[in-house]
Amino acid sequence: APLDVQVELPPLPVPRVRVNGTPLPIATFESGHDGWKERVGIVGRCVRERITDAGGQQNTILKVVNMYPAGDLSVTALSAPLTLDAIPNLHFDYCFDPGVKINMYVRHEETWYEFLLTGEEAQEPDVFTASRLSAVADGRWHHFAVDLLGMLDDAIRKKTGHPSPHFTVKEIVFADWSTRADLRAYGFGRNPGGLAIRFDNVAFTPVCSGPITVSWSVPNTPLVSWRTALDRQPAALPREETTSPELSVTPDGGLSFFHLQGYAQDGKPGGIVHIPLNVP
C-alpha cells in the first residue's frame, strides 16, 4: 500500500463508548491514527489500511512500517498521560510480520518498564526489563489481553522494593531496543527494512461483574441506528438492531466482546468498535 494511504482513506464515524459509566480509551483507526504517533526520525511510518476479512467485513488497521534498512522500528502508542486505576486492562489485536522483533515499553514517572513480546532485552541504561509476555510474529492476527496495572505494579515493586502511590502512565511505545541507540540509528537493528507491525481495536477497559451497561454516543454525525452483538470473538460482525444508545448485557465469566456499529439514515455504516468485557 502507498505510504500516503492515510490521506486517501475517508474517516468513518466511530462511537465514544462507556462501560458502567467509565469512558474507554479506544483506537479503531477508522477516523485517524487515534493518538498513535510516529517517533522522532520517522523510524516507523504509520499507515492506515482498510482490509477485508473472510466474512466480508472491512476494518481499518494501523500498519507501522520499518523505515530503516535494518534499524529502529518504533511507534508511540500512547503520548498523553493515562491513569490505569479504573481501566487496568489493555487489549489489542495484532499481526506482526514473521521474524519481527518488538516489545512494549511503558514509562512510569522517569523509568521505562520493558515487557518483552518477540524481542530481546533492551541495551538502554534507563530501561527496566520487567517480564516476558505471550506474543508471536507469524503474519497472522491474534488478540492480546493483559492486566497492565497489575503487571506495572509488579514491575515497580521489583525495581524499587515498594508499591507505587499512583499508576499514571506517561507513554507507551512499541519498539525493539535490544541494539544500542547509536547502532540502530545507522541501520544495525534487528528488524530488516520494510517489515511491519499491525494493530487494531486497541482498548483500555475496566474489570466488570454482573449486568454491564454499555452506552455510546457519536457527536455531530448522521448515525441513527445501531447493530450490536455479544460473543467470544474479538472481531465479529454485529447483527442485532437497536435505536437505543445504551444496552445492558450479562456476559459469562472470562473474556467476551461487545460489538457495535452505527448506521446512517441511508443505510451507510460507520466504523465498528469491538469492546472487550473481562468478567473474573
Side-chain angles (χ1 to χ4, degrees):
L3 293 182
D4 59 354
V5 69
Q6 162 69 31
V7 297
E8 295 176 0
L9 288 177
L12 294 177
V14 179
R16 299 175 183 175
V17 179
R18 293 175 177 263
V19 169
N20 290 339
T22 300
L24 304 188
I26 298 176
T28 64
F29 311 114
E30 298 284 10
S31 58
H33 287 157
D34 288 7
W36 290 48
K37 299 183 184 299
E38 296 168 353
R39 291 182 65 76
V40 175
I42 317 183
V43 293
R45 172 67 75 181
C46 293
V47 184
R48 283 200 310 152
E49 289 188 345
R50 290 217 171 125
I51 60 173
T52 303
D53 66 15
Q57 173 185 337
Q58 266 200 341
N59 282 335
T60 304
I61 66 166
L62 182 69
K63 178 180 178 181
V64 184
V65 184
N66 184 24
M67 298 302 290
Y68 276 122
D72 191 0
L73 175 58
S74 179
V75 61
T76 295
L78 175 71
S79 56
L82 179 68
T83 299
L84 300 176
D85 297 73
I87 45 173
N89 297 316
L90 170 62
H91 296 261
F92 56 82
D93 298 325
Y94 72 93
C95 174
F96 299 158
D97 278 354
V100 160
K101 304 296 183 183
I102 205 79
N103 298 318
M104 180 170 66
Y105 299 87
V106 179
R107 186 159 69 98
H108 178 267
E109 295 183 343
E110 300 310 313
T111 299
W112 284 101
Y113 290 92
E114 177 182 56
F115 299 97
L116 300 170
L117 298 178
T118 65
E120 303 304 324
E121 292 187 12
Q123 301 299 310
E124 302 283 355
D126 58 345
V127 174
F128 180 82
T129 302
S131 59
R132 180 172 289 280
L133 307 179
S134 178
V136 293
D138 60 1
R140 299 181 181 181
W141 283 96
H142 303 272
H143 185 76
F144 181 92
V146 69
D147 174 4
L148 184 58
L149 186 150
M151 248 181 14
L152 184 59
D153 184 29
D154 289 344
I156 293 170
R157 290 171 186 266
K158 286 180 184 178
K159 183 180 187 298
T160 67
H162 55 79
S164 171
H166 71 89
F167 292 98
T168 298
V169 173
K170 292 185 177 180
E171 192 173 358
I172 296 177
V173 170
F174 287 91
D176 181 68
W177 294 345
S178 59
T179 304
R180 294 200 325 262
D182 57 337
L183 296 177
R184 296 198 313 269
Y186 285 97
F188 292 98
R190 294 177 178 267
N191 289 295
L195 281 187
I197 54 177
R198 300 166 184 82
F199 296 91
D200 197 9
N201 307 315
V202 184
F204 291 87
T205 65
V207 177
C208 303
S209 62
I212 299 168
T213 300
V214 184
S215 56
W216 56 89
S217 63
V218 187
N220 304 317
T221 69
L223 300 182
V224 296
S225 64
W226 308 90
R227 292 183 186 176
T228 67
L230 178 68
D231 55 33
R232 299 281 190 179
Q233 303 301 315
L237 187 65
R239 299 187 184 280
E240 298 292 328
E241 296 185 3
T242 181
T243 56
S244 172
E246 181 176 297
L247 197 62
S248 179
V249 298
T250 307
D252 296 331
L255 182 59
S256 300
F257 295 88
F258 181 80
H259 313 282
L260 174 67
Q261 185 175 31
Y263 284 80
Q265 186 73 48
D266 60 3
K268 185 177 181 179
I272 303 178
V273 178
H274 307 282
I275 303 147
L277 299 176
N278 187 30
V279 180

